[in-house]
Amino acid sequence: MRFFPTSMTFPAIQRAMFFAAALVTLSTAPTTFAQASPQVKRTVLLRHDAPAPGFEAVLVRVDLPVGAREGRHTHPGLLLIHVEEGTLTLDYEGKPSTDYKPGDSVVVEPGKVHEGINKGNTPIKAIATFVIPKGATLTTQVK
């Protein structure tokens, strides 16, 4: 049994197979070549019992690549953020969106919905300090 007509030469068969493979690749391109959204990286640097009974302080390095969004979320305790590099856009419940540049610091109150966004062209590096109930989850995403 033959798959190709006898009149096709080997180079013609190769071309036909190349175009068929290219067609399959291009038809799946939206899923194959879709870029994943940049991911925020949080690295816990230190955990320490706070002087207030039942609380702990957690020091976290936060990295937001260009185009990254944290997603709207809350924290169970006080959050202090210090921007080291890049420009952090903070959308904060009940306040206007604000940009924080290197050297700037901001406080986020417990339970307040907010989101950090990197709208710039430089990765953001920040240090975050949480004062939370001991053992509590640092971040809770909000829909």
Side-chain angles (χ1 to χ4, degrees):
M1 173 184 246
R2 291 190 167 167
F3 295 113
F4 299 100
T6 55
S7 62
M8 289 185 78
T9 63
F10 186 72
I13 293 170
Q14 283 182 314
R15 273 195 306 276
M17 291 177 73
F18 171 79
F19 287 117
L23 181 62
V24 168
T25 301
L26 290 175
S27 68
T28 61
T31 55
T32 303
F33 298 111
Q35 292 183 352
S37 60
Q39 296 297 309
V40 175
K41 180 180 176 188
R42 293 178 181 91
T43 306
V44 175
L45 302 173
L46 177 68
R47 278 184 186 268
H48 187 74
D49 288 345
F55 284 84
E56 66 179 332
V58 183
L59 187 65
V60 178
R61 173 151 195 114
V62 182
D63 296 289
L64 282 90
V66 173
R69 300 180 71 107
E70 291 184 302
R72 292 167 29 88
H73 63 280
T74 63
H75 304 288
L78 190 66
L79 168 63
L80 305 144
I81 305 166
H82 179 76
V83 179
E84 294 182 322
E85 296 177 24
T87 300
L88 173 67
T89 299
L90 185 65
D91 286 347
Y92 190 112
E93 180 178 61
K95 295 184 179 182
S97 217
T98 305
D99 290 340
Y100 295 94
K101 297 183 181 345
D104 291 343
S105 298
V106 61
V107 174
V108 176
E109 297 294 328
K112 290 292 187 177
V113 176
H114 63 284
E115 177 180 23
I117 306 167
N118 187 345
K119 295 181 180 178
N121 55 11
T122 305
I124 294 169
K125 295 185 185 312
I127 296 293
T129 302
F130 298 83
V131 180
I132 60 173
K134 191 167 181 159
T137 302
L138 284 178
T139 301
T140 302
Q141 292 302 124
V142 175
K143 299 219 183 234

